Amino acid sequence: MERVILLGKYLKKYYKQLSFFLILGVVALVVVDIVETEVPKFLKDIVDNIDGMTTPALWEILWKVLLCALVIVLGRVGWRLCIMYASKKIAAGLRGDMFQKSLRLSNSFYHENKTGTIMSWFTTDIETIEEYFGWGTVMLVDAVFLSLIVLIRMIMVDYALTLVAAIPIILIGIWGFLVEKLMGKKWEERQKAYDDLYGFTEESFSGVRVIKAFVKETNEIHSFAKIVRKNKDVNYNFAKIEVFFDVMIHIIINATIALVLGFGGFFIFQAYNGNGINIFGHVVDITVGQLMEFLAYFDLLVWPMIAAGQIITMKSRAKTSLKRITRFLDVPEDVKSPENATKLSDVKGEITFKDFSFKYESETENVLKNVSLTIKPGELIGVVGKIGSGKTSLATALLRLYNFKEGTLFIDGVDLMKADIESLRENISYAPQDNFLFSDTIANNISFSSSAGNQKDIENAADFADISSNIDAFPNKYETVSGEKGVTLSGGQKQRISLARAYYKNSPIMIMDDTVSAVDVKTEETILKNINEQRKGKTTIVIASRVSTVRHFDRIIVLKDGEVEAFDSHDNLMKTSKSYQRMVYLQQLEAEMEGGKNNG
């Protein structure tokens, strides 16, 4: 990464794709630079020959100036179109690569990195790289080619004055070398401060209901103000260094202009009096027109010198941003399909656990221990247990959201660690516990698994989840926008829309992770009835917090501290499983107490 940033490994492919535009843009830029250096010669001819210049000769020069101006205009339009187009395509492509990478990363990565931090990579860091490849390329070409062309022209006028004018280039180079690392370090601090700001803001917006419920608005405002102050201080420190750097460059440039004017005027005065200045055997003998030409060249040299200074700070920022993005793109994809993976097709729905154990990377102990059981195709299975017993972990294992030991979990006899992940997930419908909804219409949320939603199937899915009457009551019905994360809907409505989305997929295996906990008893009964009737012959697993939800299922898995205590029908579990018996007793007692309160 310490190499030139333009050679970043994730950027090389874009040079191949956009080489035509980049080359054409650079050529147009160089042509503009060459033509610009022709104009000072016309100025010199006019000044030195003003007394004896005829009108036709003056018009000839003016037409040449106009022709140069036309070429410059066309050239500038050309390089802007080509180079800026290429920079935006690079930024868009890199952002697309990052998004594709984010979809392939496992849940572990998102447990360790805040959403706000990730968003800053996709926004400020990408914008910094886009700026470098757009204006940075322009500045780099001008700093090299325009400087070189102008210096050659200046030497042709007089090399002694050119030595004086070369002072700022040397000083700017030394100054830039000293400042570059400091700028990179300060930019990284600035980006980290943005990460904190993004992260805090995103978390506050997501948890705004909790903040209001606990009357913590004032605390949040104070915490936000503290982060903003830190962000302001970091940005202020960075801006101070950047401005100081730019000011020093302008001081050097203006001081050099003063030197050139002073020495040039002195040389002309001495030559006019017949006392040409001798420097290392070279007699400086220039005319007023040549001095004007030289000053015009130096005026052209000012921009490349400023560009050279800016490209140093821009490179420092871009290098830091590219390091952050590269670290993200280099994150190992630990959950992926193996080579020669087995694709699941015509899935019947048999699920087999063989001495299956599982733990999260952040945990030291297994959350599921030595699970061994077989779910037959088409069975309706319940999963119950105390909080933290491993119910949701069982579902995430089936979806292959994490890695586990080979030869311990199978669907239709296929080892999930050897299966093609895409085909595996295509055959499983999942209604998650958090009931996440996109900020989109209810129809699009339900038909999320299909690129072209069928309205009849959407309505059937809504009927299955017993949410259709609620949707029909909304002014825009199925075109109602749910809001970010379903903020405009109640908890029960979000649960049922999430369930409808899973049912719409119509997969041979469906997993419902506590998706009826926020609905009333009557609604729950309707949903369970629909499961029995409409999921007949397809494997369905329902994770529940209430025993009443699963008591009529084919079989029930009872989890205790990550282990399967029992796996049988409700009637048999009432005879063999102490944990199940206790759950039934406690929930019956709770129901009786609730009934007593209502009667009172």
Side-chain angles (χ1 to χ4, degrees):
M1 282 304 302
E2 291 304 318
R3 296 177 302 164
V4 179
I5 186 175
L6 297 175
L7 300 179
K9 61 181 178 180
Y10 292 108
L11 301 172
K12 290 179 182 178
K13 65 178 180 179
Y14 296 111
Y15 283 105
K16 294 179 182 178
Q17 296 172 9
L18 301 165
S19 57
F20 172 77
F21 294 99
L22 288 169
I23 292 170
L24 189 62
V26 169
V27 168
L29 190 56
V30 172
V31 168
V32 169
D33 290 345
I34 292 171
V35 173
E36 278 185 323
T37 58
E38 291 293 321
V39 177
K41 291 194 294 184
F42 302 143
L43 178 64
K44 174 242 180 190
D45 291 340
I46 292 172
V47 171
D48 281 346
N49 301 297
I50 192 69
D51 292 335
M53 181 170 287
T54 63
T55 301
L58 181 61
W59 273 108
E60 183 181 350
I61 293 175
L62 290 176
W63 280 116
K64 288 179 180 179
V65 171
L66 288 172
L67 180 62
C68 288
L70 179 63
V71 173
I72 291 169
V73 168
L74 293 175
R76 284 180 175 172
V77 170
W79 68 249
R80 275 179 167 82
L81 289 175
C82 293
I83 294 176
M84 296 308 168
Y85 169 79
S87 70
K88 290 189 179 298
K89 290 292 287 185
I90 289 171
L94 195 58
R95 189 178 278 115
D97 291 342
M98 291 170 66
F99 183 72
Q100 291 294 326
K101 177 74 174 185
S102 68
L103 296 178
R104 296 193 299 267
L105 290 172
S106 68
N107 287 10
S108 301
F109 175 81
Y110 296 102
H111 291 162
E112 297 168 6
N113 294 274
K114 291 184 177 181
T115 304
T117 301
I118 297 170
M119 288 304 299
S120 73
W121 301 336
F122 278 80
T123 51
T124 54
D125 285 314
I126 287 288
E127 288 164 5
T128 301
I129 290 171
E130 180 186 337
E131 179 190 42
Y132 182 77
F133 281 96
W135 288 109
T137 300
V138 175
M139 292 175 183
L140 183 63
V141 171
D142 277 347
V144 174
F145 286 97
L146 186 57
S147 295
L148 185 62
I149 296 167
V150 169
L151 284 172
I152 291 172
R153 301 276 195 186
M154 291 168 73
I155 290 170
M156 291 171 65
V157 175
D158 192 275
Y159 79 79
L161 275 178
T162 304
L163 289 174
V164 175
I167 294 172
I169 298 174
I170 299 169
L171 293 176
I172 288 171
I174 296 170
W175 181 244
F177 176 78
L178 296 173
V179 172
E180 181 183 3
K181 287 188 176 180
L182 178 61
M183 292 295 292
K185 182 181 177 182
K186 291 295 181 182
W187 181 257
E188 188 164 11
E189 290 176 5
R190 179 180 180 272
Q191 294 301 84
K192 287 179 179 177
Y194 269 125
D195 291 350
D196 293 340
L197 183 62
Y198 273 122
F200 183 87
T201 306
E202 190 275 334
E203 198 172 65
S204 297
F205 287 152
S206 298
V208 66
R209 286 183 173 179
V210 177
I211 293 169
K212 289 183 176 181
F214 284 85
V215 198
K216 289 293 182 181
E217 292 94 336
T218 304
N219 287 358
E220 288 295 301
I221 291 170
H222 288 317
S223 298
F224 182 72
K226 185 177 179 181
I227 292 174
V228 169
R229 279 196 298 272
K230 179 184 175 183
N231 200 277
K232 181 202 74 175
D233 292 341
V234 171
N235 276 274
Y236 179 69
N237 289 334
F238 176 82
K240 279 199 302 185
I241 296 172
E242 189 174 38
V243 169
F244 180 65
F245 181 62
D246 288 342
V247 168
M248 288 300 297
I249 289 173
H250 282 86
I251 288 173
I252 293 169
I253 290 170
N254 287 305
T256 307
I257 291 174
L259 282 173
V260 170
L261 281 171
F263 279 103
F266 178 69
F267 292 156
I268 291 173
F269 178 77
Q270 291 296 99
Y272 181 79
N273 291 320
N275 302 317
I277 303 298
N278 190 311
I279 301 177
F280 300 117
H282 167 70
V283 178
V284 180
D285 185 14
I286 61 173
T287 64
V288 174
Q290 286 177 313
L291 179 61
M292 296 294 291
E293 179 187 8
F294 190 89
L295 287 172
Y297 285 137
F298 187 80
D299 187 57
L300 288 174
L301 190 62
V302 168
W303 159 243
M305 286 188 288
I306 293 173
Q310 290 184 353
I311 197 68
I312 291 169
T313 59
M314 196 179 289
K315 179 187 173 185
S316 299
R317 298 197 302 264
K319 184 186 288 186
T320 301
S321 290
L322 188 60
K323 280 181 181 179
R324 285 156 56 91
I325 289 172
T326 300
R327 279 198 296 266
F328 170 66
L329 292 172
D330 281 342
V331 173
E333 296 171 21
D334 52 341
V335 178
K336 59 183 178 180
S337 300
E339 292 185 12
N340 303 315
T342 304
K343 288 195 173 184
L344 292 170
S345 60
D346 193 25
V347 172
K348 306 300 181 187
E350 182 184 74
I351 301 170
T352 304
F353 291 86
K354 290 184 179 179
D355 198 25
F356 178 83
S357 295
F358 171 73
K359 75 178 182 71
Y360 297 100
E361 289 184 5
S362 58
E363 302 289 336
T364 55
E365 296 184 2
N366 289 335
V367 293
L368 290 172
K369 307 164 191 173
N370 308 316
V371 176
S372 294
L373 57 89
T374 297
I375 298 171
K376 298 174 184 176
E379 274 196 301
L380 178 54
I381 301 296
V383 182
V384 296
K386 293 190 297 184
I387 294 172
S389 60
K391 300 188 297 296
T392 298
S393 298
L394 205 68
T396 55
L398 285 169
L399 289 163
R400 244 321 287 288
L401 297 179
Y402 299 91
N403 289 326
F404 42 81
K405 186 179 177 182
E406 287 186 13
T408 57
L409 180 54
F410 303 83
I411 290 181
D412 288 359
V414 177
D415 186 347
L416 295 198
M417 286 300 293
K418 296 179 180 178
D420 175 71
I421 293 179
E422 186 175 346
S423 68
L424 166 66
R425 294 173 184 168
E426 279 292 334
N427 284 284
I428 298 177
S429 300
Y430 181 48
Q433 193 175 25
D434 60 4
N435 306 304
F436 181 89
L437 297 182
F438 297 95
S439 183
D440 203 341
T441 64
I442 291 174
N444 287 342
N445 267 291
I446 292 175
S447 62
F448 182 69
S449 59
S450 173
S451 56
N454 180 287
Q455 186 61 30
K456 185 177 179 181
D457 291 339
I458 291 171
E459 291 174 4
N460 288 338
D463 288 337
F464 172 85
D466 198 25
I467 187 66
S468 54
S469 60
N470 292 111
I471 296 173
D472 288 334
F474 295 140
N476 296 320
K477 301 186 185 303
Y478 286 88
E479 294 305 306
T480 301
V481 176
S482 63
E484 189 172 357
K485 297 183 181 179
V487 70
T488 61
L489 304 171
S490 69
Q493 288 170 339
K494 286 192 288 186
Q495 274 194 342
R496 284 178 285 163
I497 291 173
S498 179
L499 176 57
R501 178 172 57 195
Y503 176 79
Y504 181 91
K505 191 177 178 183
N506 194 29
S507 299
I509 299 172
M510 187 165 86
I511 303 170
M512 297 166 53
D513 190 355
D514 206 17
T515 49
V516 291
S517 61
V519 301
D520 57 61
V521 175
K522 184 180 178 182
T523 302
E524 181 183 25
E525 288 175 353
T526 303
I527 292 172
L528 295 177
K529 178 176 174 288
N530 291 337
I531 292 172
N532 273 299
E533 293 176 355
Q534 299 179 39
R535 288 288 302 174
K536 193 174 291 291
K538 296 178 180 178
T539 304
T540 305
I541 300 172
V542 179
I543 298 170
S545 56
R546 296 194 295 253
V547 173
S548 59
T549 304
V550 300
R551 64 181 299 158
H552 298 297
F553 287 7
D554 296 327
R555 288 190 290 174
I556 302 164
I557 300 171
V558 182
L559 289 174
K560 182 181 179 182
D561 299 328
E563 296 181 331
V564 177
E565 183 183 277
F567 180 35
D568 214 327
S569 65
H570 169 76
D571 292 339
N572 290 335
L573 289 175
M574 289 300 292
K575 301 173 186 176
T576 59
S577 174
K578 291 182 179 179
S579 294
Y580 190 77
Q581 292 166 8
R582 180 171 175 78
M583 288 176 65
V584 171
Y585 171 74
L586 290 174
Q587 290 182 17
Q588 284 177 344
L589 184 62
E590 182 182 356
E592 289 173 5
M593 291 178 66
E594 289 292 328
K597 287 179 182 178
N598 293 335
N599 292 333

